Amino acid sequence: MSVRTRIFFALLTLLVCLRAGGMAWRETLDGPGPSQSQADIIIPEGGAGLAAEALARAGIITSPLTFRIVVRLTRGQGVLHAGEYLIPAHASLGQVLAILRHGSPVQHQVTIPEGLTGTQIAAIINALPAATGTIAAPADGTVLPQTYDYLYGTPRAVILARAETAMTQTLQTAWQNRAPGLPLQSAQQALTLAAIVQEETPVAAELPKVAAVYENRLQLGMKLQADPTVIFAATQGRQSGGVGISRTDLANPSPYNTYVHEGLPPGPICAPGQAAIIAVLHPASIDALYFVATGDGGHVFSRSFASQLRNIAAYRAALKSPGPLTPPVKRR
């Protein structure tokens, strides 16, 4: 065999090997993985070794050693990131690496409803399964109710701080854009009143009307006589709605009881939403001093106490019972 022929066969053999190697490499990177369903996996800090172990335990890869080799050979494509990721079913090794290098971690959410006390808010945040640490109950009214995104492993204190910052910014902006002539001397007073308004009605369209009633009372020097403040006082600040009140509760000397004390209570009784804050700073243009539930979720408003008594009678008739000892009315 001539030298030229031997060179030809050597080059042919090398080409075949390179082609086979390339096919094997593509199969390693692009071949379907063993997972049968989408997987939610936590990749720990610590590098490719720990990532490989986590992926193997989850059934996403079959060989941790192969994974580590491929990570090494493709290191120019970026570093692996720790966190929580969703890996699709049958994800190839290349897909897995792309997700861990460039994908977005799983976003968790926590919703803080309007009208909760600090104790209730702390219970929600401390129960989050993907967060870390614990928090004490925040001061009432310092958290803005809304939905917050967070990543796996986020400290609960960080989530709370974001919610508190959101309230501070929302209140500051709302106060700066308030209507003129309000009987409120500070943003904190607005927040305190907004918390009461928040608890009085589930109907968003009624918030400015309820706010107007209380601000009209403040203008005239009338007691607010807000049932939610009685509940807050009776439960030692654990809640501000959802329970009945008694004659004993109405006589509670707590400074939060607006049936006993004039003016606003010392501070918020819950976390009001943005709509309640805006309502207090832009109340409806009505002269009502009273309101009572209609029995269907809304309220009817009136200027005179005589009209209020008629509305209370209608409310009780609608219930076909004497009604609660202290219906949700504002009385002189």
Side-chain angles (χ1 to χ4, degrees):
M1 182 180 296
S2 67
V3 173
R4 181 176 295 179
T5 302
R6 286 198 295 270
I7 293 174
F8 172 78
F9 279 110
L11 290 174
L12 181 61
T13 301
L14 178 60
L15 181 61
V16 171
C17 290
L18 289 174
R19 181 177 177 82
M23 293 176 64
W25 175 251
R26 285 195 297 273
E27 177 63 24
T28 299
L29 278 181
D30 302 330
S35 61
Q36 299 299 309
S37 60
Q38 177 177 269
D40 186 328
I41 183 170
I42 307 298
I43 301 298
E45 298 278 358
L50 293 180
E53 293 175 6
L55 291 165
R57 284 195 301 270
I60 296 171
I61 63 172
T62 54
S63 172
L65 177 60
T66 299
F67 178 84
R68 294 175 63 183
I69 292 172
V70 173
V71 169
R72 178 71 175 174
L73 293 175
T74 61
R75 60 187 180 278
Q77 298 178 14
V79 299
L80 303 184
H81 297 284
E84 182 180 6
Y85 296 92
L86 286 178
I87 308 297
H90 303 294
S92 67
L93 186 52
Q95 287 177 294
V96 172
L97 290 174
I99 291 171
L100 300 190
R101 283 170 168 152
H102 311 296
S104 297
V106 173
Q107 290 276 355
H108 293 271
Q109 292 186 327
V110 54
T111 297
I112 300 175
E114 293 90 348
L116 298 187
T117 63
T119 299
Q120 293 169 320
I121 291 171
I124 289 175
I125 295 177
N126 282 328
L128 297 177
T132 61
T134 58
I135 61 165
D140 289 300
T142 58
V143 168
L144 183 67
Q146 63 180 20
T147 297
Y148 297 90
D149 294 331
Y150 68 97
L151 301 178
Y152 175 87
T154 298
R156 293 183 174 89
V158 170
I159 299 171
L160 175 60
R162 287 177 53 207
E164 290 174 330
T165 298
M167 175 58 89
T168 298
Q169 294 174 342
T170 297
L171 180 60
Q172 181 180 33
T173 299
W175 178 252
Q176 291 172 347
N177 294 289
R178 67 190 182 279
L182 301 177
L184 303 168
Q185 304 306 311
S186 67
Q188 186 63 27
Q189 285 191 352
L191 184 65
T192 297
L193 182 55
I196 297 174
V197 172
Q198 181 68 71
E199 286 291 69
E200 288 288 15
T201 178
V203 181
E206 285 189 348
L207 292 172
K209 294 182 180 180
V210 173
V213 167
Y214 284 127
E215 291 180 48
N216 291 341
R217 282 178 163 256
L218 288 173
Q219 294 276 22
L220 296 174
M222 297 173 63
K223 290 179 181 178
L224 296 184
Q225 295 185 321
D227 291 359
T229 66
V230 179
I231 296 171
F232 186 82
T235 62
Q236 290 77 54
R238 291 189 299 275
Q239 60 192 93
S240 53
V243 297
I245 55 179
S246 65
R247 294 189 185 279
T248 300
D249 294 332
L250 289 173
N252 188 333
S254 166
Y256 282 91
N257 183 356
T258 58
Y259 274 83
V260 173
H261 302 283
E262 296 180 356
L264 293 167
I269 59 171
C270 71
Q274 184 176 14
I277 295 172
I278 297 299
V280 163
L281 295 174
H282 297 273
S285 297
I286 59 173
D287 61 359
L289 294 173
Y290 308 89
F291 61 91
V292 64
T294 59
D296 60 2
H299 295 80
V300 59
F301 298 79
S302 58
R303 167 69 183 178
S304 70
F305 187 56
S307 295
Q308 173 72 345
L309 291 177
R310 288 194 294 271
N311 293 334
I312 292 173
Y315 168 72
R316 289 177 169 170
L319 294 180
K320 296 182 180 180
S321 73
L325 177 61
T326 55
V329 300
K330 306 305 132 207
R331 298 178 295 184
R332 197 162 187 173

